Amino acid sequence: MRVAAYHLPTKVSGFEVETRSYGEVTLDLVVVTPGLLAELIGHLEVARERIAKRKGREIAEILSDVFTRWQERTDPFRQAAEVALPAITRYSQAMVVHGLDLLLQGYTAEAFDALCREVASEEVLEGFVPVGSHLGRAYSPSLTTHVLAGNIPGVGLPGLIAATILGSASLVKTASSDPLFVALWAASVAKRDPEIGEALCVLSWSGGRKDLEAVAFDRAEVVIAYGNEQTMRELRGRVRGRFFGHGHRLSFGVIGREVLSNAEEVAERTAYDASLFDQRGCLSPHLFYVEEGGEATPREFAGLLATAMERWAERLPPGSPTVEEAVAVRRFRAGYEAQELVGKEVALFTSRQGLDWTVIYEEDQTFTPSCLQRTVLVKPVTDLSEVGGLLDSWRPYLQAVGVAVAPERIEVLAAQLGEAGVGRICPVGRMQAPPLTWHQEGRTLLHDLLRWVDLEA
């Protein structure tokens, strides 16, 4: 299979293409130069003038329709993704199919409608309107540059969607670990609405190419970037406009004693969260705090979680770890095996085959990030009110918490977790499916992109 891993405005020609092979999958990639990038940005700025005149809700309806088409297994763009992504991303075929279904379920017409409601009235984008004691008008960025991560297909898509709805042109640099998915998405948008497609450009180049990033950042009013903390620090210093960085984040779960009367079902949902996307995402839980005093002890819950992890490994087989990832899992396991041998309160549960999954029960309550690759820890707490105090040193990096407690406890617990720095609280089993309107890193999608101008009498 050969597929184009780029999307360009149609008037661009004369560029060179190189190939990259992943077994039977070959990707065509544009050879990006500073001159080509400058030319592309010129085309994007012209295209932006046209889509900026269109209503945001009209654009949202078109994008919603594109996602509806992707939900059909016969859609050619989806078919290309299903065939190519397992080879490119190292996810299993079953995980790619399931992951696409999960991703697409979040982009419904209702979700787009809710997103559009973030901007109270489109009139603020069309002229000065009363805002408090003065007049105000909001302007969308003429160009938004997106620097994506490739750990999970679709990461960064919400920012791209928001920019497009606001009438901003978008230049997207994809990750080398997944240069295809967003390129396919942009091509599907262009097929549905060529005018919007002209305002999208998706390319891949090696990270750290300062000659290319100087061009990509110089004319961008906004840069949205995903990556590790070092990448965020390096990029932030080279962006002239507004910069929104999304560095690595950590997620975990909490289980109340009262739901352990149904511990097997709770374990099934927690195992699903820990297995999805082989735990590569920021929304993947590293550990679960389990409250003592329920019908199952935290240690017994760890055993049930292990059984559920084995079932999910059969339904959604793990992908192929890199050598470095496999070594990390073996070292992580070995460290806990050594603790078990010297009599520490530790129990290790491992997959029947290879490194498919690992569950570790550890009495030490210290918040401990796992080595990933479906490796999850279970730690006991006397009361869930203790959890907030265990998070202090990780506060800047906290993302989501999966929760399983009685309804009457959720409000107090949510307030404690929010105070501790957590940004999203949801039921276990839904950690990897945030709504389109979620406040990633505590921010709003559309409002962040707008620039306000005040007019005082």
Side-chain angles (χ1 to χ4, degrees):
M1 178 189 190
R2 186 164 180 165
V3 59
Y6 61 86
H7 172 77
L8 304 178
T10 56
K11 291 183 179 178
V12 178
S13 61
F15 54 87
E16 294 183 31
V17 170
E18 61 184 1
T19 61
R20 189 185 302 167
S21 294
Y22 303 81
E24 296 181 354
V25 175
T26 299
L27 299 185
D28 286 340
L29 297 153
V30 172
V31 178
V32 186
T33 65
L36 175 64
L37 213 46
E39 180 188 351
L40 288 167
I41 290 173
H43 287 292
L44 289 174
E45 289 173 336
V46 172
R48 187 264 175 176
E49 292 178 7
R50 289 193 290 270
I51 70 164
K53 296 175 182 175
R54 296 172 65 172
K55 296 284 188 183
R57 283 192 175 274
E58 176 203 349
I59 294 174
E61 288 173 7
I62 289 165
L63 298 184
S64 171
D65 185 52
V66 168
F67 282 106
T68 299
R69 295 181 183 198
W70 269 76
Q71 291 180 27
E72 299 293 332
R73 298 288 298 275
T74 55
D75 179 85
F77 297 102
R78 168 153 183 162
Q79 287 182 332
E82 286 191 7
V83 172
L85 287 181
I88 298 168
T89 63
R90 298 181 288 110
Y91 285 122
S92 66
Q93 177 74 30
M95 184 64 79
V96 166
V97 172
H98 183 84
L100 286 174
D101 282 338
L102 185 68
L103 172 74
L104 298 169
Q105 286 171 12
Y107 293 109
T108 61
E110 292 76 16
F112 276 96
D113 183 58
L115 180 63
C116 289
R117 286 201 300 271
E118 280 192 3
V119 178
S121 168
E122 290 193 80
E123 292 179 358
V124 301
L125 290 163
E126 297 166 352
F128 286 92
V129 299
V131 179
S133 61
H134 58 276
L135 301 178
R137 177 174 179 174
Y139 289 84
S140 60
S142 57
L143 176 67
T144 304
T145 293
H146 308 256
V147 180
L148 303 187
N151 49 337
I152 293 178
V155 168
L157 210 48
L160 182 55
I161 289 167
T164 305
I165 287 175
L166 290 175
S168 172
S170 283
L171 170 65
V172 182
K173 175 198 174 297
T174 55
S176 57
S177 53
D178 177 15
L180 180 64
F181 177 74
V182 173
L184 288 173
W185 179 81
S188 66
V189 172
K191 183 178 181 182
R192 172 65 178 79
D193 190 305
E195 190 171 76
I196 298 175
E198 289 295 302
L200 299 172
C201 177
V202 182
L203 294 166
S204 179
W205 66 79
S206 299
R209 283 284 305 272
K210 293 183 179 178
D211 57 335
L212 299 179
E213 290 170 356
V215 179
F217 297 161
D218 185 58
R219 285 154 72 176
E221 287 190 39
V222 172
V223 174
I224 303 173
Y226 293 79
N228 60 40
E229 294 302 310
Q230 182 179 352
T231 300
M232 293 303 100
R233 285 194 295 272
E234 291 175 357
L235 294 182
R236 189 185 305 273
R238 290 189 277 124
V239 172
R240 295 176 57 191
R242 286 175 288 154
F243 179 79
F244 300 118
H246 299 279
H248 280 172
R249 294 292 181 270
L250 298 168
S251 296
F252 64 101
V254 295
I255 311 296
R257 64 172 69 88
E258 67 278 7
V259 302
L260 293 174
S261 58
N262 197 18
E264 192 169 341
E265 187 271 336
V266 176
E268 186 76 6
R269 289 189 280 138
T270 56
Y272 175 70
D273 283 334
S275 301
L276 266 180
F277 302 115
D278 296 345
Q279 215 180 9
R280 294 188 206 169
C282 292
L283 296 174
S284 299
H286 287 243
L287 62 84
F288 288 92
Y289 285 111
V290 180
E291 199 172 39
E292 295 175 323
E295 289 191 19
T297 66
R299 188 172 184 137
E300 289 169 342
F301 181 80
L304 293 171
L305 177 59
T307 302
M309 293 290 284
E310 184 70 33
R311 284 196 292 269
W312 280 111
E314 293 170 0
R315 296 173 199 166
L316 300 175
S320 306
T322 64
V323 172
E324 292 78 11
E325 290 168 342
V327 168
V329 174
R330 290 187 189 284
R331 283 180 177 167
F332 204 77
R333 285 184 177 184
Y336 281 97
E337 284 170 348
Q339 291 186 45
E340 199 173 16
L341 286 173
V342 297
K344 290 194 174 181
E345 290 296 329
V346 168
L348 190 66
F349 305 84
T350 59
S351 50
R352 285 200 294 262
Q353 295 185 58
L355 305 175
D356 283 1
W357 56 265
T358 308
V359 174
I360 297 160
Y361 169 80
E362 183 182 29
E363 199 161 272
D364 182 349
Q365 298 176 331
T366 305
F367 188 98
T368 309
S370 88
C371 61
L372 306 181
Q373 309 305 314
R374 305 196 188 196
T375 302
V376 62
L377 296 99
V378 173
K379 292 172 178 269
V381 289
T382 305
D383 192 280
L384 291 183
S385 61
E386 301 168 8
V387 172
L390 300 169
L391 307 175
D392 284 349
S393 58
W394 298 99
R395 183 183 177 94
Y397 306 103
L398 298 177
Q399 183 83 292
V401 180
V403 174
V405 296
E408 58 270 22
R409 297 184 69 186
I410 189 63
E411 190 169 338
V412 171
L413 180 62
Q416 293 168 345
L417 293 171
E419 190 67 32
V422 167
R424 174 172 171 253
I425 301 160
C426 66
V428 294
R430 286 171 43 191
M431 293 185 69
Q432 310 256 15
L436 182 55
T437 50
W438 77 299
H439 296 97
Q440 189 171 7
E441 269 89 273
R443 300 199 295 253
T444 59
L445 266 179
L446 295 181
H447 278 284
D448 268 359
L449 296 177
L450 294 175
R451 176 177 59 85
W452 282 87
V453 175
D454 292 337
L455 175 59
E456 300 171 28

